[in-house]
Amino acid sequence: MTTETTTRYTVAVIGGTGPQGKGLGYRFARHGHDVVLGSRAAEKAESVAAEVTERLAGVDGAGSARGAANGDAIAAADVVLLAVPYDGHDDLVASLAGALAGKTVVSCVNPLAFDKRGAHGQVIDGGEGSAAESAARLAPEATVVGAFHNVSAVGLWGEDAFLDEDVIVVGDTAEGKQVAIDLAASVTGRPGIDGGKLRLARVLEPFTAVLISINRKYKAHSGIRVTGLGEH
Amino acid sequence: MTTETTTRYTVAVIGGTGPQGKGLGYRFARHGHDVVLGSRAAEKAESVAAEVTERLAGVDGAGSARGAANGDAIAAADVVLLAVPYDGHDDLVASLAGALAGKTVVSCVNPLAFDKRGAHGQVIDGGEGSAAESAARLAPEATVVGAFHNVSAVGLWGEDAFLDEDVIVVGDTAEGKQVAIDLAASVTGRPGIDGGKLRLARVLEPFTAVLISINRKYKAHSGIRVTGLGEH
């Protein structure tokens, strides 16, 4: 197991004021990365960044957190985490496509729906699509990967040094996946796991609905680990 | 953790001569259940059952394994494990619908496709279906649940007492799910996990494609564990 950060990234978090974005931003910054929380309104992002910065005080080797409007956040970053609700996702990505060109974009977007039977996955492109694939189509000059779909916002903002779960990363280039594999170590204490091609985001995204069902039944914050790999 | 079997089931395994069916049948019998491996041809099922029986020799508390034609296997059983390839699945289930009436049917069918980009899930009913849901529709008087999708056939037939992974069970009745939750203890050493409604089989089935991708990349036999539940 290694928790060393070999590369120090500047990560823009789009949706950085939501629980998933704020929690992941906090974890990345805590482990030495520089995080720019993005929001439509810079003031809101700055206020959440101040909360994150407060939690970084006294943490050895911490990076930094600041807030900015989405476009400015992206401009400052090598890596962009998309942590927005699926509702409005396509329009937002399309509007940011120019800024995203040339960046590595990590999507943790979960297109879920809820009814009286619980959570389930939204059907995208007749079952042949996912939020991550939509982002890749709408921002064709970005390198889009999928990761961090299944980590619990509660755990991310909690006190444990690391979350007892794995981050599975999907994407169509090894370079893009490596960024998310590296960043995963900030969250779980070990590298993310290469889970194959981007289209498998069709599975990882709605898997969150299974974890939500488990959480309701067992009153837990569940995650998944991949067994059988030894040290990877 | 408990490995006690509270209920001794008679389980018919449809597709009992394939690696998944044979491996699960072996595990169930090893832990005290009575297994009837089913096949279109009784002789083939009997020959595979003899292989399983050989491995049960000297195992304390083992149940039994025998072979039979599919219809006879189902008639003898309380519980039916569907462990057939997805290709031909619907026709087979439709042809067995009468025999399946009143039974608990556990589907571990994985509708996968393979191309040069690897494994991925087949799209069923425009993304709003799964093999398990198809079985429920085609055998409306059976109680269909989904489970055991992600356990590796290699591990099932291997030497380890238990597999280091979890079995997630989905279904629309608590009674049906309880059967698969009980049977899971034969495989993993602890009860299966209630993962919610049957429609979430849409996620569990193609998740196997992610594990296949991981296996190729890491030269492993991977599985998943659910974290955060404590002892459940």
Side-chain angles (χ1 to χ4, degrees):
Chain A
M1 178 186 295
T2 173
T3 62
E4 248 174 67
T5 299
T6 47
T7 308
R8 180 172 179 157
Y9 295 106
T10 300
V11 184
V13 182
I14 306 307
T17 60
Q20 196 84 353
K22 169 182 162 180
L24 284 166
Y26 162 56
R27 294 283 164 172
F28 297 158
R30 179 164 152 171
H31 291 278
H33 302 289
D34 295 309
V35 171
V36 190
L37 299 179
S39 185
R40 283 174 207 262
E43 303 73 42
K44 192 168 173 212
E46 283 157 7
S47 144
V48 174
E51 267 188 86
V52 172
T53 300
E54 201 172 305
R55 290 204 59 187
L56 298 174
V59 175
D60 256 7
S64 63
R66 63 185 179 88
N70 284 329
D72 295 335
I74 294 171
D78 325 305
V79 181
V80 179
L81 179 74
L82 279 179
V84 296
Y86 182 63
D87 188 28
H89 165 273
D90 285 6
D91 288 345
L92 180 70
V93 173
S95 76
L96 297 171
L100 293 172
K103 312 279 182 184
T104 300
V105 174
V106 181
S107 168
C108 66
V109 177
N110 287 323
L112 299 182
F114 296 84
D115 59 24
K116 63 182 179 179
R117 298 167 71 75
H120 60 110
Q122 283 190 43
V123 177
I124 299 178
D125 295 336
E128 314 213 24
S130 59
E133 290 166 283
S134 296
R137 180 171 41 78
L138 294 164
E141 294 178 70
T143 299
V144 177
V145 302
F148 302 108
H149 300 94
N150 306 318
V151 291
S152 120
V154 174
L156 289 168
W157 195 245
E159 298 296 332
D160 290 345
F162 291 112
L163 276 60
D164 178 25
E165 48 194 295
D166 278 311
V167 171
I168 300 176
V169 179
V170 293
D172 289 338
T173 70
E175 298 73 21
K177 284 192 276 198
Q178 192 59 50
V179 173
I181 287 170
D182 289 348
L183 286 171
S186 304
V187 175
T188 64
R190 53 192 181 283
I193 293 170
D194 183 342
K197 298 293 185 190
L198 190 66
R199 66 180 172 186
L200 293 176
R202 296 171 201 175
V203 183
L204 298 184
E205 292 172 2
F207 194 85
T208 304
V210 175
L211 294 177
I212 290 170
S213 294
I214 290 172
N215 290 348
R216 284 197 186 165
K217 172 81 184 180
Y218 296 92
K219 314 216 179 312
H221 298 293
S222 63
I224 55 170
R225 286 204 62 162
V226 178
T227 62
L229 298 188
E231 297 296 319
H232 60 273
Chain B
M1 179 184 298
T2 174
T3 63
E4 250 175 66
T5 299
T6 48
T7 308
R8 179 170 178 160
Y9 294 105
T10 299
V11 185
V13 182
I14 306 306
T17 60
Q20 197 82 354
K22 170 183 162 179
L24 284 166
Y26 162 56
R27 294 284 165 173
F28 298 158
R30 178 165 153 172
H31 292 278
H33 302 290
D34 295 307
V35 171
V36 189
L37 300 180
S39 185
R40 282 175 207 260
E43 303 73 41
K44 192 166 175 215
E46 284 158 7
S47 144
V48 175
E51 267 188 87
V52 171
T53 300
E54 200 172 306
R55 290 204 60 186
L56 298 175
V59 175
D60 257 7
S64 64
R66 64 185 180 88
N70 283 330
D72 295 335
I74 294 171
D78 325 306
V79 182
V80 179
L81 178 75
L82 279 179
V84 296
Y86 181 64
D87 189 26
H89 165 274
D90 286 5
D91 289 345
L92 181 71
V93 174
S95 76
L96 297 172
L100 293 171
K103 312 279 183 184
T104 300
V105 174
V106 182
S107 169
C108 66
V109 177
N110 287 323
L112 300 181
F114 296 84
D115 59 23
K116 64 181 182 183
R117 299 167 72 74
H120 59 111
Q122 284 189 41
V123 177
I124 298 178
D125 294 337
E128 312 213 26
S130 59
E133 289 167 284
S134 296
R137 181 170 40 79
L138 294 164
E141 294 177 71
T143 300
V144 177
V145 303
F148 302 108
H149 301 93
N150 306 318
V151 291
S152 122
V154 175
L156 289 170
W157 195 244
E159 298 295 331
D160 290 345
F162 291 112
L163 275 61
D164 179 24
E165 49 193 294
D166 278 312
V167 170
I168 301 175
V169 179
V170 292
D172 289 338
T173 71
E175 298 72 22
K177 284 192 276 198
Q178 192 59 50
V179 173
I181 287 170
D182 289 347
L183 287 171
S186 302
V187 175
T188 64
R190 53 191 181 283
I193 294 169
D194 184 342
K197 297 293 184 191
L198 190 66
R199 66 180 172 187
L200 294 176
R202 296 171 201 175
V203 183
L204 298 184
E205 293 171 2
F207 194 85
T208 304
V210 175
L211 294 178
I212 290 171
S213 295
I214 290 172
N215 290 348
R216 285 201 185 161
K217 172 80 184 180
Y218 296 92
K219 315 215 181 309
H221 297 293
S222 62
I224 55 170
R225 285 203 63 163
V226 177
T227 62
L229 298 190
E231 297 297 319
H232 59 274

